[in-house]
Every structure is written in C-alpha cells, then in structure tokens.
Amino acid sequence: MDWATPIDAYCERTSAAFWSEPVNALTNLAFLLAALWAFRRWRARGGGDRATLALIGLVGVIGVGSFLFHTFANRWSALADVLPIALFIFGFFTLALRRLIGLSWPLTLLGLLAFVAFDQFVAPLAEPLLGSSEAYLPALLALYGMALWLMGIGRKASGLGLLSAGAVFTLSLLFRMADGAVCPSWPLGTHFLWHGLNAVTLALCLRVGMAHEGRATAQNPA
C-alpha cells in the first residue's frame, strides 16, 4: 500500500496541493478551542479527573489529525484523521456507561464490546444511504439511546445534555453529507461546518462527563 496516495474527497479540494483546502484545514481550530475550553473547565473543577483529561487530549489530537488530512490529503493522513475520532467515540462510550449510567466494570466492558459489534454491523448497512458518513451512525444512535435512558431513570440534566449533543451531531452529519451535493453551486462545500459543529458536539459530551466525576465509584464500586 502506498501511504502517499492522494485522496480527493471533498468539494473544496481542486488539486493535490497542500493548501487546496484552506477552509477545511483551518476550521480544525474549532477542535483545539473545544479542547482548550474543556481543559480550563476541567482544571477549574480540581484537575483530578484523568479519564476526562484523556478525552480532552483526544479532542486536540482530532483537530491536528484532521488538519493533516485536509492538507496532505493522502492515506497516512486519513489514518491520522479517523483513528483519534474512533478512540474518542469508544472512550466516551465507556465513560458514559461507567459514570453516567453507573454500570460495574464487567458490565461496562461487555457494553463496549456490544457497541463495537453493533458498529461493525450497522455502519455497512447504512453506507448506501449515508455514504462515507455511515461510520458515524452508531455513535449518533448511541448518543440518543443513552440520552433517553438517562432521562428515563430520572437523570434529566445528563439526558438533556446528551440529547443536545446528539442534535448538534445530527446537524453536523447533514452538512458532512451535503458537501458533494452542493459542490456544483457552492464550490467551497459544507465540510467545514462539520468541523465546527462536531467540535461543539464533543464539548457538550465532555461537559456532561465532567459533571458526573466520581459518580460511578460512589454508587457502584464494583
């Protein structure tokens, strides 16, 4: 496999040049701003929540990886783009099961394995409808599912927080999918809006996670 093979996936790109996607590249600053906002909030809360700190770090890495992909636009930079996103999705899902829902560690790990299996099953089925955005459908469904679960067990604030994250994520996915469709009439495309709204989604998720620091330990030490 040639890791330097060029990838032309978005409307804004018109050549293999480094700065052929300036807006898509520079809007990754939104992830760095989200990480900075979350870090300041984390530090103001005492700075002892290492799980959330790791997720905050991943948000920053997502911004860097996406910047690399929208500048180098090849196979190795595509990997730098998708891997941190996958790590954040699985990491936050684990934190949510343990901290928000209050499962024991064995049940949390079982839930994570079930989510991975669900991801592998659902994403390919959604490809004809969602295209390259199919990989994000399981995460979106998980957000809505956990939001409804939390609201159903009386944790309305957390449920509404994840519901808000899901709503923003839905909008961001719509803009991601619209990029190719609007290209003939809007050469800039809409992918840059995915960056901004996705950064908001991650910030909302981190906000909910930080609000429940230590809850699982206190409620369910198993």
Side-chain angles (χ1 to χ4, degrees):
M1 178 183 292
D2 184 2
W3 290 98
T5 300
I7 296 176
D8 183 0
Y10 301 104
C11 179
E12 188 184 14
R13 180 164 290 277
T14 57
S15 73
F18 184 87
W19 283 117
S20 188
E21 295 180 66
V23 176
N24 284 347
L26 294 176
T27 48
N28 286 296
L29 180 62
F31 293 106
L32 301 184
L33 292 175
L36 177 61
W37 171 85
F39 178 75
R40 294 182 65 180
R41 190 178 182 88
W42 172 85
R43 191 166 59 179
R45 296 178 64 87
D49 184 0
R50 294 185 179 181
T52 302
L53 179 61
L55 292 175
I56 292 170
L58 276 174
V59 173
V61 174
I62 287 170
V64 173
S66 185
F67 174 82
L68 292 174
F69 180 52
H70 289 289
T71 48
F72 288 97
N74 51 28
R75 286 182 174 175
W76 71 260
S77 57
L79 196 62
D81 179 35
V82 299
L83 275 182
I85 296 173
L87 288 173
F88 183 93
I89 289 172
F90 294 129
F92 181 77
F93 185 76
T94 302
L95 181 142
L97 291 181
R98 176 69 176 153
R99 182 177 294 181
L100 275 62
I101 297 177
L103 298 183
S104 65
W105 270 117
L107 288 177
T108 296
L109 294 177
L110 186 62
L112 177 61
L113 290 175
F115 178 62
V116 172
F118 177 74
D119 179 89
Q120 295 300 309
F121 175 74
V122 170
L125 295 178
E127 186 174 5
L129 178 64
L130 304 182
S132 64
S133 297
E134 44 84 20
Y136 299 102
L137 179 62
L140 178 64
L141 295 177
L143 271 179
Y144 282 126
M146 289 189 294
L148 294 175
W149 180 276
L150 289 168
M151 294 175 72
I153 62 175
R155 298 182 185 173
K156 184 173 290 187
S158 298
L160 288 175
L162 291 188
L163 196 63
S164 298
V168 176
F169 194 32
T170 300
L171 185 59
S172 69
L173 275 173
L174 290 175
F175 280 120
R176 189 181 194 277
M177 291 186 292
D179 185 71
V182 304
C183 200
S185 57
W186 182 252
L188 179 61
T190 57
H191 190 77
F192 69 97
L193 294 170
W194 151 263
H195 290 160
L197 291 170
N198 208 21
V200 173
T201 300
L202 301 186
L204 289 171
C205 288
L206 290 172
R207 185 172 183 265
V208 174
M210 278 188 277
H212 290 269
E213 178 186 357
R215 170 166 289 198
T217 303
Q219 290 188 349
N220 193 347

